[in-house]
Amino acid sequence: MSNRPANTPKDAAAVILLRHDTDPDNPEVFWVQRGYKLAFLPGFHAFPGGQIDACDAEVDVRNAPNPETAAMISGAARELFEELGVLVARGSETLTKGQRASLLDDLESGRMSWPALLQHYELYLDTDDFTYVGRWVTPPFNARRFDTWFFLVKCPPKQEPNVIVGELESGEWRTARDAYDRWMRDLVVAVPPTLHALRTLGEGLTPDLVERFLSIPQAHGEPARRITFRPNYICFPVRTPTRPPATHTCCYIVHNSDEMLVFDPGSPYEDEQQALAECIDDMIGEGRRVREIILTHLHPDHVGGVNALKEHLGGNVPVAAHAQTAAALNDVHVDHLIEDNDVITLEGEPVIQLRALHTPGHAKGHLCFHDEYRGVLMTGDNIVGVGSVLIDPPEGNMRDYLNSLERMLALPMLGVLLGGHGPAVATPYRKIIEYILHRLEREENITGAVRAGASNLKEIVERVYTDVSPKAHAMAERAVLAHLERLRDYGVIDEASFNSITGFAGLS
Ligand SMILES: [Zn+2]
């Protein structure tokens, strides 16, 4: 069985900035919304921070227990300065706002490196200003991973954070309780370390504060298995034999006080099935029952663990899917057919209603699920948080796919997309539009290649997929075929050219 080595996490540091003289019973913290164009978690609410630079290790950090901690503190201080203009360095107390701005300009413009800048102005960092509150590692389901050290830092008096737009969309002071409440009310999307910090700070700046920060294994670098991007929606990534760069499929456990639905338990590997079963057992132990196992579509990386889970649960839990998925599956028995616009209601607290949307394109019987009250769209493999979506005829159909994306785009008030691979998408409409434009751009280039005389799939791929490694060309030929079918259906390419180019490869 495949056991791909996980992509190595990169060192990073983040700062949880506390307001100067904040109320210790209800502290205020500066949180930011990450830039929409960032490759890692765009649009998420988080704390300022980023990847460690090689030069961070050259900085004078007093009282550090070891060079590694010193480099992390240096990186945290640099990121805080670069992203919010807040300079936490000894000796900087006498600098005016204007002087700090000119230092920042020196750093941003590259006139001075971070170590040179501190040295030039006779500044140094002190470990006492940076309270270590944990180290979190991005779970392996993301292609980009970080090993992030978190530091609690008091904002120096007379300094006010100022979001430097680009990496960040916005930022604001909020009490930790209020920030957490915004997440509870579905207004923001956040990852586990952010939520843990807000919950911990929300209980006040008590003497055991650091202890509470460090009280869970995830704060010591053990990746979280249950990821709750939105209340009531647990993402439980399981390792699967899927298409790189994805290595995991996101199984989702949608739950309230009484019931739960399990979507796409896709792993064929016993250890992963076991981990999922333990999570579900825990939730059953808290008084819930599994209402159904639901499949978004037929692909093996989405159904590989269905039978094992069903057996684990005593065989009584029904499996539900679209009729076209049910008809195509041999090894998995589907008990309940879901049709377009069916509403699944979870009774309990809170009541959760999911409307099924038949959204073919990636697969004929593909379903998405829309919780319109909560702004959640479960997108299956139509939109994913890592990698790309393959449209492979005849199961895949480009015309259906683009129609499905347009239907998704027309849904009101979307706040988050939960896809079949990778992290949640916190910028739903931007993402859907990006997907549509990407396909249309490819299609325009394919049309151009055909008009310029490309006479078979291989030639079209060579002209159009110049951004894709030759290893992926066989896959790209399937996508080109899907586009050509759509162009033929719309009369852009005539039947004879289609047949000659595809060599009748199109089976539909
Ligand atoms: Zn799939």
Side-chain angles (χ1 to χ4, degrees), residues 443-455 459-461 463-464:
E443 199 161 277
E444 209 171 286
N445 293 338
I446 289 167
T447 311
V450 170
R451 299 224 158 107
S455 64
E459 275 178 38
I460 295 175
V461 167
R463 288 188 201 198
V464 174

